[in-house]
Amino acid sequence: MKTSDSTYDVSKTSLGMEAELNRLKAQALMGWEKECRYLQWYGLSDGMNVLEAGCGPGYVTEQLIKNFPNRNHNSSKVKYVQASIYDTKLPEDHYDFVIARLIFLHLYDPLKATLEIFRVLKPGGKVAIIDIDDGIFGVVEPSVESFRSVLDKLIAMQRKAGGNREIGRSLPRLLKQAGFSNIDMEAVSVHSDLVGLEGFQEQLNPNRFEQFYRLGILSDSDYHNIVKAHDNLLHNPDSYAMMIFHIACGTKSFQGNEEETAERLAVVHL
């Protein structure tokens, strides 16, 4: 990913590369079972030509291959492309289904990205955008003081950097602006009692927030409460957490429309 194109730069994470990759893997897997069901419900099926925009290390790409029975493990099944989601250089009217997972919160120009997705989809093709909205993040129990304040500060920080941690609520209008029809939206709730604590422990790892604390974005109290919440998830048997992801789907009608976060793109033939 070009660091000039979005708010995400893996080289600048507090966790370091290996730990960040572990976090991304846990994040990809924690809600995958439900997400896959929704993707199939929205029309994802075997034999489709699929573009995964912003596939990163490919953890979701792996699940796409594994979860569809009409598959093989030939390396020719997946093609990775380094490109900008704003200008992919991929052929027009080419893909049956596009998936964009947890990338739109980082984009400087989400509408431009959505228009590019519209361009590469075949008429009748669909896009599914999966993302967050920290305004309705979820819950962490036992509740910790000022956790809502921490989220609000992270939202403000992301907005200042050019991203949007409340992008979830905007997805239907974004799809409509880009020309999509038959727009739908669902919430995907992920609960630690059902999927385990590992993913939540990774997301609330205090090391993720250390740089924001050092920069003064988070107060002593804020950082202490993150540590406390993480410690509860590790050691308190009564602790649990729930996160809410949002998935919005739209269809490219049979009337055409046309129009840099650099993204790694995975082209998957199911």
Side-chain angles (χ1 to χ4, degrees):
M1 177 187 294
K2 284 185 185 175
T3 58
S4 60
D5 283 341
S6 83
T7 64
Y8 183 79
D9 183 352
V10 67
S11 68
K12 294 182 179 178
T13 61
S14 296
L15 291 174
M17 181 67 76
E18 184 176 353
E20 175 66 359
L21 290 175
N22 289 337
R23 184 189 73 83
L24 292 174
K25 185 173 185 178
Q27 183 187 69
L29 297 180
M30 63 193 294
W32 171 251
E33 186 176 341
K34 274 191 174 181
E35 289 175 25
C36 186
R37 290 204 302 265
Y38 275 114
L39 291 172
Q40 290 176 297
W41 185 54
Y42 281 133
L44 182 63
S45 63
D46 288 336
M48 283 187 164
N49 196 16
V50 178
L51 175 66
E52 184 194 350
C55 68
Y59 299 130
V60 170
T61 313
E62 291 175 353
Q63 297 306 310
L64 286 169
I65 300 301
K66 290 177 182 177
N67 280 265
F68 289 85
N70 181 24
R71 67 183 189 270
N72 60 60
H73 298 286
N74 191 317
S75 61
S76 64
K77 184 143 177 131
V78 179
K79 178 182 178 182
Y80 291 100
V81 181
Q82 186 76 33
S84 168
I85 197 171
Y86 301 139
D87 183 15
T88 64
K89 310 296 186 189
L90 294 171
E92 188 171 348
D93 299 338
H94 188 69
Y95 296 98
D96 299 298
F97 208 103
V98 176
I99 300 167
R101 186 182 187 277
L102 296 182
I103 179 168
F104 269 67
L105 77 155
H106 296 295
L107 298 181
Y108 295 145
D109 193 341
L111 178 57
K112 187 175 181 181
T114 311
L115 288 166
E116 176 64 3
I117 289 171
F118 189 98
R119 184 188 70 80
V120 302
L121 273 169
K122 294 176 182 178
K126 294 183 177 182
V127 61
I129 302 174
I130 304 167
D131 227 302
I132 62 168
D133 190 318
D134 275 354
I136 42 177
F137 165 84
V139 297
V140 178
E141 292 289 343
S143 59
V144 293
E145 188 181 349
S146 80
F147 192 72
R148 181 67 254 170
S149 172
V150 170
L151 290 174
D152 288 341
K153 289 176 181 179
L154 295 176
I155 289 168
M157 178 191 69
Q158 183 83 338
R159 186 182 300 115
K160 185 177 181 181
N164 184 0
R165 295 190 65 88
E166 296 176 304
I167 190 69
R169 67 191 66 183
S170 304
L171 294 178
R173 290 189 177 189
L174 195 61
L175 290 173
K176 185 176 181 180
Q177 283 180 287
F180 286 94
S181 60
N182 299 322
I183 297 164
D184 191 31
M185 187 173 186
E186 292 289 342
V188 182
S189 59
V190 183
H191 198 292
S192 61
D193 284 358
L194 303 177
V195 303
L197 284 165
E198 180 184 0
F200 297 93
Q201 292 164 352
E202 291 285 352
Q203 303 316 308
L204 290 174
N205 186 337
N207 292 336
R208 281 189 68 200
F209 304 93
E210 187 177 346
Q211 65 179 345
F212 309 135
Y213 173 52
R214 291 199 309 265
L215 291 169
I217 295 168
L218 299 179
S219 67
D220 289 342
S221 176
D222 292 332
Y223 188 71
H224 171 76
N225 285 321
I226 291 171
V227 172
K228 184 176 180 181
H230 185 253
D231 189 65
N232 280 334
L233 290 174
L234 287 174
H235 304 297
N236 184 345
D238 294 326
S239 186
Y240 62 87
M242 181 177 71
M243 288 180 65
I244 300 172
F245 298 90
H246 307 273
I247 178 168
C249 180
T251 302
K252 179 176 178 176
S253 68
F254 285 85
Q255 248 186 336
N257 187 16
E258 187 179 341
E259 174 105 89
E260 267 169 313
T261 294
E263 300 303 337
R264 197 174 178 223
L265 308 168
V267 179
V268 186
H269 300 280
L270 298 177

